[in-house]
Amino acid sequence: MVLKQFFFCLAIFSLPLQGVMAQEQAIFTYKGAEELTLIGKAVHREPFYHRVDTADYPELPKQVKSLLTHSAGLAITFKTNSPTIAAKWCTSPRRSSANMTAIAFEGLDLYIKKDGFWQYAGVGQYGDSCSTSILASHMDDTEKECLLYLPLYDEISEVEIGVTPGSSLSALKNPFKKKIIVYGSSIVQGASASRPGLAYPARLSRETGWNFVNLGLSGSAKMEKSVANMLSTMDADAFVLDCIPNASPQEIKERTAYLIKSIRQSHPEAPIVMIQTIIREHGYFNQQVGRHVKEQNEMVAQQVKALSTEVDNLYLITAEDLLGNDHEGTTDGTHPNDLGFDRMLRKIQPTLMDVLKF
């Protein structure tokens, strides 16, 4: 009897809540992202939400092709005077990984420009394969420049932006200049930032005003010849190569020269910046991991030094202090948390500002 009363009360009290939710969803006017501006693509081809159309590069490894369908680094830019901004989006039926938040993995991350700077404004919390979320509400009705980051680790099939009826909603030009390709591991893709906008290529774009394109390939940035060939065909003003975490010392020895020379042949003047792998935190205790990372970094340093005699405008950022010195900069001993990414930025950004004299 008690259980019957409980479920009856639950049903009664849920009715008004369902009504409110239905009303909230009904009061928005939605526009598809295809009518706005998508930024962050390496190559502007279909499919719309893929970073690269892998059909153009049939020799890529299967896992690389799969990862390039993820929307890491992609963002929708628009302007609106709506006091509330909502979104609807659809992803594949995946679950977030153990070392990432669901928001970073499959959610949205909204920034609004305030006093000339991009400022965090709200997130779209993932609910199901197709989700609806209010990103920001109770704002004034002045026109706002908005930047909405898409999920880091899933494939998007649809995005719609919602505003209150009668409010304006239109495309905003790409706010970032030039084009810098950032090729790398899961760290570049964004693991383990808490939100999509905190992946370090996205932060670099907001802080410098330059367009850093996220080509992070989780576990799969191994400098294969087919990947090097793909990168060399891309229109870019500079290249940041943060691919050492995934490559073995032997792969670094065998593949670095081809990667760098291929890029240089197609881009004679473009700066090329390689970054050593971060020091794995568990490598301070796990001797096998510690040796492996040491060998990776020694090998890439050797390769860059040798190539510098014949390749101009080639630079190396070393691993020292990339995560700080208090051993608190990772989520799992390998992937930076937000603190770790902030520290990486403090070391990487000054070098890039010196090198990329745009």
Side-chain angles (χ1 to χ4, degrees):
M1 185 66 179
V2 174
L3 282 175
K4 287 183 178 180
Q5 291 176 338
F6 170 77
F7 285 117
F8 175 77
C9 292
L10 184 63
I12 292 297
F13 282 109
S14 67
L15 288 175
L17 179 60
Q18 292 171 356
V20 170
M21 291 176 65
Q23 288 176 358
E24 284 185 342
Q25 293 181 20
I27 62 173
F28 297 114
T29 300
Y30 284 93
K31 180 176 288 190
E34 291 87 347
E35 299 181 57
L36 302 172
T37 303
L38 178 70
I39 66 170
K41 283 178 73 82
V43 182
H44 284 276
R45 295 279 300 277
E46 296 294 333
F48 189 75
Y49 296 109
H50 290 185
R51 292 180 285 173
V52 174
D53 180 6
T54 57
D56 290 340
Y57 307 98
E59 295 182 356
L60 290 175
K62 182 178 179 180
Q63 183 63 10
V64 170
K65 289 183 178 181
S66 176
L67 289 163
L68 287 172
T69 69
H70 294 180
S71 54
L74 301 187
I76 308 298
T77 61
F78 58 93
K79 53 187 177 180
T80 180
N81 61 1
S82 177
T84 302
I85 300 173
K88 297 191 289 189
W89 71 104
C90 295
T91 62
S92 68
R94 302 182 67 208
R95 292 183 179 273
S96 60
S97 63
N99 64 350
M100 293 189 68
T101 69
I103 291 173
F105 206 84
E106 296 183 288
L108 306 178
D109 194 2
L110 176 67
Y111 280 74
I112 297 176
K113 185 167 279 191
K114 184 175 182 179
D115 300 327
F117 297 94
W118 291 108
Q119 182 172 320
Y120 164 78
V123 294
Q125 298 190 31
Y126 169 80
D128 205 341
S129 294
C130 287
S131 305
T132 301
S133 183
I134 294 176
L135 309 177
S137 60
H138 302 290
M139 298 183 289
D140 61 39
D141 60 359
T142 59
E143 188 173 76
K144 308 160 194 69
E145 297 182 12
C146 302
L147 180 63
L148 181 63
Y149 289 100
L150 304 186
L152 294 174
Y153 267 80
D154 207 349
E155 180 181 5
I156 286 274
S157 59
E158 182 181 2
V159 181
E160 294 182 67
I161 309 299
V163 297
T164 56
S167 297
S168 64
L169 174 60
S170 59
L172 180 70
K173 289 176 59 178
N174 189 341
F176 305 122
K177 300 176 181 179
K178 302 294 184 178
K179 184 178 181 182
I180 301 111
I181 298 291
V182 187
Y183 164 60
S185 68
S186 55
I187 295 172
V188 171
Q189 189 164 345
S192 295
S194 61
R195 299 185 273 107
L198 292 179
Y200 89 75
R203 287 197 58 188
L204 280 171
S205 290
R206 294 196 305 276
E207 296 197 17
T208 66
W210 297 332
N211 183 22
F212 286 85
V213 174
N214 187 324
L215 279 187
L217 301 170
S218 184
S220 301
K222 299 184 178 182
M223 298 187 284
E224 298 95 337
K225 183 176 287 189
S226 59
V227 175
N229 293 339
M230 175 186 72
L231 294 172
S232 67
T233 66
M234 292 178 172
D235 179 30
D237 298 288
F239 292 83
V240 176
L241 308 177
D242 190 1
C243 47
I244 302 307
N246 291 158
S248 69
Q250 187 63 28
E251 288 169 336
I252 296 168
K253 181 178 181 180
E254 294 173 352
R255 298 176 179 180
T256 302
Y258 184 85
L259 173 62
I260 290 176
K261 288 181 178 180
S262 297
I263 292 172
R264 176 56 72 236
Q265 183 174 3
S266 300
H267 302 80
E269 305 296 330
I272 302 173
V273 181
M274 291 207 78
I275 304 176
Q276 287 184 325
T277 179
I278 61 168
I279 306 300
R280 306 290 204 279
E281 286 298 335
H282 44 272
Y284 289 102
F285 297 97
N286 185 318
Q287 296 180 41
Q288 183 178 5
V289 171
R291 283 194 300 271
H292 180 76
V293 171
K294 184 173 184 289
E295 291 169 2
Q296 286 176 304
N297 283 337
E298 288 176 347
M299 183 56 70
V300 72
Q302 292 174 20
Q303 293 298 306
V304 171
K305 182 178 180 180
L307 287 163
S308 294
T309 62
E310 53 183 309
V311 178
D312 294 331
N313 228 359
L314 174 63
Y315 307 89
L316 178 68
I317 295 177
T318 60
E320 288 82 12
D321 297 325
L322 273 176
L323 293 177
N325 297 303
D326 59 6
H327 312 291
E328 301 290 358
T330 70
T331 294
D332 55 6
T334 296
H335 299 93
N337 52 30
D338 293 339
L339 175 63
F341 275 124
D342 189 72
R343 290 170 174 173
M344 286 185 67
L345 214 67
R346 295 311 127 213
K347 178 163 185 179
I348 293 171
Q349 185 173 330
T351 298
L352 295 180
M353 296 294 285
D354 287 339
V355 168
L356 308 179
K357 300 183 185 301
F358 298 145

